[in-house]
Amino acid sequence: MASTLFSPKFTLAIAAASALWIMLASGEDHAVKAVGADEALAKLKAGNERFTSQPASKGRPNAARRAEVAQTQHPFAVIVACSDSRTAPELVFDQNIGDLFVIRVAGNLVDDYGMGSIEYAVEHLGARLIVVLGHERCGAVKAALAAPTAPGHIGALVRDIQPAVQATADKAGDKLALTVHANATAVAAKIWKEAHLGELASEVKVVTGYYDLDSGVVEWG
Ligand SMILES: [Zn+2]
């Protein structure tokens, strides 16, 4: 389909994509003053404390905050969370729009898209803390414990959680909770090993958390 590939429309699309990439890769992004990993973790801990101790959040999006971040974003942390509807990081950490760069996949897994998103957030947006957030009674981990295969694309999820299943095979206790922890640890290790962070790696921390659906508390690994 050469005629399609070289159509004016396609050429325009390539030009636009190139311009975007040049913009993203420009030195301007590196001028961002990053929030350090330790400070970012303290902000998340304080946010979760607010979430669990106060009857309502004060951090919901509003017009002023929307305007503040409409043109640029400097999220202070990357959160790799499960798609589970009860674990929205912005809510459980009591943060606003523009605060967190969130990757959500069932079982809080990271594929190439997720890894690229992490690299982008660190290199171009100034994030220095990466949190892998597992949670109580995770359905994806439960499915992976039940069987190593599953129909359709769910099979990919249970397949990639198997290392955690194997890691807890001989352990006594709450098997689901143990495997959720092991999975978050494995994903964090994968990020640390595979993410291309360059010289920024010395500033980056990767930590794990475990969200308790009943209490709302995040335990830190
Ligand atoms: Zn889950």
Side-chain angles (χ1 to χ4, degrees):
M1 293 294 285
S3 60
T4 304
L5 286 175
F6 292 101
S7 70
K9 198 173 178 182
F10 188 77
T11 306
L12 193 64
I14 287 185
S18 301
L20 175 65
W21 179 245
I22 289 167
M23 189 180 79
L24 293 178
S26 73
E28 188 181 357
D29 290 316
H30 297 287
V32 171
K33 188 182 179 305
V35 173
D38 291 339
E39 183 183 349
L41 185 56
K43 284 163 73 86
L44 292 180
K45 287 179 177 177
N48 184 242
E49 171 68 24
R50 290 194 300 275
F51 175 68
T52 54
S53 62
Q54 297 179 3
S57 172
K58 295 173 183 168
R60 295 286 186 269
N62 54 35
R65 179 61 176 163
R66 194 166 62 242
E68 191 182 358
V69 298
Q71 299 297 330
T72 186
Q73 59 168 328
H74 303 302
F76 68 83
V78 177
I79 314 290
V80 177
C82 182
S83 299
D84 190 295
S85 62
R86 301 161 293 182
T87 65
E90 292 87 345
L91 300 180
V92 305
F93 293 120
D94 193 34
Q95 299 299 317
N96 210 329
I97 57 172
D99 291 331
L100 303 176
F101 199 85
V102 177
I103 296 147
R104 294 185 72 179
V105 174
N108 41 273
L109 297 166
V110 172
D111 57 10
D112 283 351
Y113 298 134
M115 205 66 81
S117 301
I118 290 168
E119 291 172 9
Y120 175 72
V122 170
E123 186 171 351
H124 297 291
L125 303 181
R128 295 292 181 267
L129 177 69
I130 301 165
V131 177
V132 180
L133 187 64
H135 70 94
E136 188 181 23
R137 295 191 286 273
C138 181
V141 174
K142 196 173 180 182
L145 277 165
T149 59
H153 290 82
I154 296 174
L157 297 173
V158 300
R159 177 196 66 206
D160 287 353
I161 298 173
Q162 288 311 303
V165 172
Q166 288 154 14
T168 59
D170 298 330
K171 292 191 177 173
D174 183 335
K175 189 70 82 177
L176 180 52
L178 287 168
T179 309
V180 168
H181 279 95
N183 183 53
T185 300
V187 172
K190 178 181 178 179
I191 292 169
W192 191 243
K193 183 181 175 190
E194 297 181 16
H196 291 243
L197 303 175
E199 60 189 27
L200 294 174
S202 62
E203 299 176 28
V204 170
K205 283 189 178 175
V206 184
V207 302
T208 61
Y210 181 86
Y211 178 71
D212 186 313
L213 291 174
D214 301 307
S215 67
V217 172
V218 173
E219 299 165 12
W220 297 94

